[in-house]
Amino acid sequence: MSQIDTLPPLRQVIVTHGLAPKKSLGQNFLLDLNLTSKIARLAGDLTACDVLEIGPGPGGLTRGLLAEGARRVLAIEKDDRCIPALAQVADAYPGRLQVLNADALDVDPLAHLTPPIRVAANLPYNVGTELLVRWLTPKDWPPFWTSLTLMFQREVANRIVAKPGSKTYGRLAILSQWRADPHIVMELPPEAFSPAPKVHSAVVHLTALPAPRFPADPAILERVVAKAFNQRRKMLRAALKGLTPDIEDRLIAAGIKPTDRAEQVPLEGFCALARQLA
Ligand code: SAM
């Protein structure tokens, strides 16, 4: 265990505060502070940024973020058993850590943080995708965050960076690549966590682009993409026929063959189609 701070090792924190992992909260903890510091470094230069962390648990990544110099960290944790452990971290870094005992889905980060804001989290798998989609689909762009550094199941990470023609290309790839630049920056085996999950994990770093790669209305793009990939084996003229009676003409006007399937259409094509349907 590395000495990144003067706080007790995480295994000891877990015993002291009775943090037996709960499956219902997606609790697979990272207990190696070398690893959590490495993830914090992958988030970029934190010294001039506020950081939003979702699901700090016993505080491994939180300590990494603070040791790497984050200006301020807002850590939102649903499990009230973790709050006393996180209060000790806050004491060790006076004025730099604010802990909220809340559901991350209910909190407006801008009420607590000052831009520039980076998001870093070993996300609870059950809410991870929902939060990512929410962060990628605000009406206005650029969003409140400059980067997201997020742990996912490796299979989800692959879907985020997938390219057209691949089986994993779909809604997550399009939403992630339309207004951000996503990369897998680290892979972790199950044994990196306690308890070990059944699957491999990966950290994805997404940088917000200053403007979308192609113009489109986010709500329309989301609706078109969801419908197209819902029936990914069907030709688009069939999969999208509920959107408008003249879908074939709209597809052609967007430069897409009506007989193509969703996974063959690049991001630019979906944006052109969203504009046709606006
Ligand atoms: N960040 C810690 C680490 O790396 O060891 C814990 C990661 S664990 C995978 C996910 C954490 O998210 C747990 O501490 C869990 O209690 C918390 N959590 C689960 N659902 C949440 C929600 N809706 N809002 C906030 N925290 C949540």
Side-chain angles (χ1 to χ4, degrees):
M1 195 71 66
S2 95
Q3 284 295 318
I4 65 164
D5 53 36
T6 54
L7 290 157
L10 287 161
R11 283 186 199 284
Q12 194 177 317
V13 171
I14 284 177
V15 173
T16 308
H17 296 279
L19 303 180
K22 283 189 185 170
K23 212 173 170 177
S24 60
L25 286 169
Q27 292 183 337
N28 300 95
F29 298 135
L30 286 170
L31 302 183
D32 179 349
L33 289 164
N34 283 314
L35 202 54
T36 60
S37 294
K38 191 169 170 193
I39 296 168
R41 283 195 293 279
L42 290 170
D45 182 2
L46 304 178
T47 52
C49 292
D50 282 5
V51 179
L52 170 65
E53 187 194 359
I54 312 294
L61 180 56
T62 322
R63 287 163 63 175
L65 294 166
L66 290 161
E68 289 301 320
R71 182 173 68 188
R72 278 193 68 232
V73 175
L74 172 69
I76 307 174
E77 174 55 61
K78 195 170 171 182
D79 185 353
D80 48 12
R81 298 178 309 159
C82 299
I83 305 306
L86 295 164
Q88 287 188 339
V89 181
D91 288 344
Y93 291 93
R96 291 175 56 203
L97 172 62
Q98 181 184 358
V99 179
L100 287 185
N101 187 191
D103 187 324
L105 296 166
D106 298 336
V107 177
D108 171 13
L110 274 180
H112 304 272
L113 297 173
T114 311
I117 298 167
R118 293 190 189 270
V119 179
N122 176 10
L123 286 167
Y125 290 146
N126 50 349
V127 289
T129 314
E130 179 168 354
L131 281 170
L132 175 65
V133 169
R134 194 187 281 193
W135 290 329
L136 290 168
T137 53
K139 196 169 172 312
D140 299 318
W141 201 263
F144 76 86
W145 50 272
T146 51
S147 70
L148 309 173
T149 307
L150 309 172
M151 181 87 69
F152 286 103
Q153 301 182 23
R154 189 170 61 187
E155 180 262 327
V156 176
N158 286 338
R159 285 200 271 139
I160 292 170
V161 301
K163 297 293 174 203
S166 104
K167 282 202 167 50
T168 46
Y169 180 64
R171 174 173 173 255
L172 269 188
I174 287 166
L175 295 182
S176 303
Q177 296 168 36
W178 177 43
R179 302 202 277 192
D181 192 17
H183 294 279
I184 293 179
V185 289
M186 188 184 202
E187 303 217 357
L188 293 96
E191 314 80 74
F193 301 85
S194 176
K198 288 202 177 68
V199 294
H200 283 250
S201 300
V203 178
V204 184
H205 183 77
L206 300 100
T207 314
L209 298 174
R213 286 182 209 276
F214 310 102
D217 178 286
I220 299 174
L221 181 65
E222 226 194 311
R223 192 149 39 93
V224 170
V225 168
K227 219 169 163 50
F229 284 97
N230 221 358
Q231 299 179 293
R232 58 189 300 143
R233 294 221 174 76
K234 282 198 176 169
M235 291 178 188
L236 285 168
R237 68 178 175 208
L240 298 179
K241 72 169 184 263
L243 286 177
T244 169
D246 62 347
I247 190 63
E248 288 218 34
D249 294 343
R250 303 292 179 100
L251 282 162
I252 292 165
I256 301 170
K257 276 197 257 159
T259 51
D260 273 355
R261 288 165 177 82
E263 70 183 38
Q264 296 167 269
V265 178
L267 172 61
E268 189 174 3
F270 280 112
C271 292
L273 183 59
R275 290 197 300 277
Q276 284 295 322
L277 295 169

